DNA sequence: GCCACGGTTTTGAGTCATCAAAATAATAAA
DNA sequence: TTTATTATTTTGATGACTCAAAACCGTGGC
């Protein structure tokens, strides 16, 4: 039985949720899953039990859920499609990086393998999507990069923006308008705990100050 | 309420069904609708009653169904998307014309207006899809052409293939391999009632014989 | 060690889309 | 006109997916 869009969305959310877990944690709590999918907690519980029944996840009541190898394979496939489609929409269709998420969210479930393969080919087997998120390989491997946030990277040292971990359109437009998209080189000049902000030097030595919250969503390579 | 994929498919099938009706007929019978959608007749009846309830169709029990202006607007929109997507997949993505139907069938329900507009723009506001089917304009107008089938067009006169009215992949590949795609110029040399076949002269004066059934699916302009 | 609270699960219900098969209506044949 | 055939509608049921709200569990505070 091929998985429904709903099942694919659950698996993808669990997959992404697992990467967000800190430390040795391995289980995604139901509350987090429910809010990631925008559904009621009870619905998540019911669905996850069904997913466990079909061998795609392991479910520990009151603890959370984890993907089985079978579930992980499916999840990586969906995430690969999502990110390839996003990149395609930006690179080939000329759409803005803040408006491709919703299209990708739907298309990831319906386009044929053949079309995905054509996109991948046209894009030259890309490794990262427009937001710097890694694109899983066809066999489910995720490129791992050692990145730091603007809150932890070295001061007064050129760093390259590599990834933006927030899909919010307004935030993405802000990033773009301040030339902070992946690929741009910047420096962190100062961090101020009290004012909860970070001072940056960007393109053309342009100075700017952003909040710590925003700074934590900009990942850079040194 | 935005229409579900199911509703969109029903409306599209009724829309296309109406164009296939001969004479002054105006109602699409339930059986035809059901088989076009590949569902049980009883399901069609139930759904159509719901569509009538929401003002998208007019339903006459035991006679059939017809689109209201509201329903026709939605149906034309879906058909426009379907055919634009098909053309996009062929022209831009380099897919074959016999493998784009299924992708379009799904994508028509999910891609954003913005993306459709980009496709339309990239393709130069096309009027016909890869099969020669007219693409409804944004306001729902369908280009009408006076076409004849290979069963009725004049003999020994150059005619141009304009449209192929069968989405079956094997048939489309046959058409392609014999250089009978829309745009090709051919001549009908002879029709034989007894053998139920038609003799053609195609590209490079290549002779071929095809069955009447197939001939009726090739529409030409004189 | 009890209790309150936040997170989780259960319960009961509803929507949408579907089918198989029985009942019925329209139509063609005898 | 009766009968047989075919198309259509009704009926009863199922499977996914969802919610609201009640019940429940586990843990940290006191
Ligand atoms: Mn999705
Ligand atoms: Mn992305
Ligand atoms: Mn469709
Ligand atoms: Mn077509």
């Amino acid at each position: 039985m091929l998985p429904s869009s709903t099942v694919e969305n659950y698996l993808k959310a669990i997959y992404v949720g697992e990467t967000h877990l800190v430390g040795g944690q391995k289980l995604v709590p139901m509350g987090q899953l429910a809010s990631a999918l925008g559904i009621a907690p009870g619905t998540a519980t019911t669905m996850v039990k069904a997913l466990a029944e079909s061998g795609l996840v392991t479910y520990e009541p009151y603890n959370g859920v984890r993907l089985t190898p079978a579930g992980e394979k499916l999840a990586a496939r969906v995430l690969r499609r999502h990110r390839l489609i996003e990149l395609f929409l930006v690179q080939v269709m000329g759409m803005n990086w803040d408006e491709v998420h919703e299209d990708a969210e739907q298309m990831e479930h319906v386009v044929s393998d053949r079309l995905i393969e054509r996109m991948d080919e046209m894009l030259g087997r890309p490794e990262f999507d427009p937001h710097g998120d890694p694109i899983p390989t066809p066999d489910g491997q995720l490129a791992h990069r050692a990145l730091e946030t603007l809150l932890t990277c070295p001061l007064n040292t050129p760093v390259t923006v590599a990834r933006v971990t927030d899909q919010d359109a307004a935030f993405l437009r802000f990033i773009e308008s301040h030339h902070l998209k992946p690929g741009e080189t910047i420096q962190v000049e100062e961090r101020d705990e009290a004012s909860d902000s970070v001072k940056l030097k960007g393109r053309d030595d342009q100075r700017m100050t952003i909040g710590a919250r925003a700074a934590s969503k900009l990942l850079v390579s040194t």
Side-chain angles (χ1 to χ4, degrees), chain A residues 170-190:
Chain A
F171 179 69
L172 292 177
R173 279 193 296 272
F174 169 84
I175 295 299
E176 179 163 33
S177 66
H178 288 71
H179 307 295
L180 293 174
K181 285 175 80 171
E184 299 278 357
T185 298
I186 63 178
Q187 291 188 32
V188 176
E189 294 193 319
E190 189 186 342

Side-chain angles (χ1 to χ4, degrees), chain A residues 13-22 25 27-39 41 44 65:
Chain A
I14 296 167
Y15 186 96
V16 173
E18 283 181 2
T19 74
H20 288 349
L21 292 178
V22 286
Q25 288 283 92
L27 291 174
V28 179
M30 302 309 275
Q32 176 180 316
L33 179 59
S35 91
L37 291 168
I39 58 179
V65 63

Side-chain angles (χ1 to χ4, degrees), chain A residues 2-211:
Chain A
L2 79 167
S4 66
S5 296
T6 302
V7 167
E8 291 189 337
N9 283 335
Y10 273 81
L11 295 178
K12 180 158 63 88
I14 296 167
Y15 186 96
V16 173
E18 283 181 2
T19 74
H20 288 349
L21 292 178
V22 286
Q25 288 283 92
K26 21 179 72 160
L27 291 174
V28 179
M30 302 309 275
Q32 176 180 316
L33 179 59
S35 91
L37 291 168
I39 58 179
T43 306
T45 299
T46 307
M47 277 296 303
V48 162
K49 283 202 281 193
L51 294 177
E53 203 58 42
S54 44
L56 296 171
V57 305
T58 302
Y59 169 55
E60 291 181 21
Y62 292 100
N63 280 323
V65 63
R66 171 190 27 236
L67 294 173
T68 62
E72 187 171 328
K73 185 161 174 242
L74 274 175
R77 177 187 133 98
V78 179
L79 195 59
R80 169 175 167 79
R81 294 167 150 259
H82 184 99
R83 292 178 175 169
L84 268 177
I85 291 166
E86 281 191 343
L87 189 63
F88 175 84
L89 293 179
V90 168
Q91 297 283 267
V92 179
M93 301 307 291
M95 295 178 75
N96 295 327
W97 77 329
D98 61 291
E99 64 185 17
V100 297
H101 184 74
E102 276 314 306
D103 270 297
E105 195 60 53
Q106 298 303 126
M107 290 175 67
E108 65 188 3
H109 310 294
V110 304
V111 302
S112 63
D113 286 341
R114 189 178 260 136
L115 179 49
I116 287 290
E117 164 59 22
R118 287 292 297 120
M119 289 183 186
D120 190 34
E121 191 183 333
M122 282 178 74
L123 294 168
R125 318 287 173 193
E127 291 188 61
F128 303 98
D129 85 353
H131 314 100
D133 300 317
I135 299 173
T137 60
D139 55 301
Q141 298 304 303
L142 261 188
H144 183 64
R145 295 181 294 176
L147 301 178
E148 295 182 275
T149 74
L150 289 188
L151 295 181
T152 58
C153 71
L155 292 177
N156 298 306
T157 309
V159 294
T160 304
V161 179
R163 187 172 181 182
V164 181
T165 62
D166 186 339
Q167 308 295 309
D168 179 69
F171 179 69
L172 292 177
R173 279 193 296 272
F174 169 84
I175 295 299
E176 179 163 33
S177 66
H178 288 71
H179 307 295
L180 293 174
K181 285 175 80 171
E184 299 278 357
T185 298
I186 63 178
Q187 291 188 32
V188 176
E189 294 193 319
E190 189 186 342
R191 296 196 185 94
D192 185 14
E193 296 286 326
S195 69
D196 193 46
S197 66
V198 176
K199 277 214 180 82
L200 305 177
K201 186 172 73 179
R203 181 196 288 188
D204 301 327
D205 291 342
Q206 186 105 26
R207 298 307 200 296
M208 64 196 102
T209 305
I210 66 177

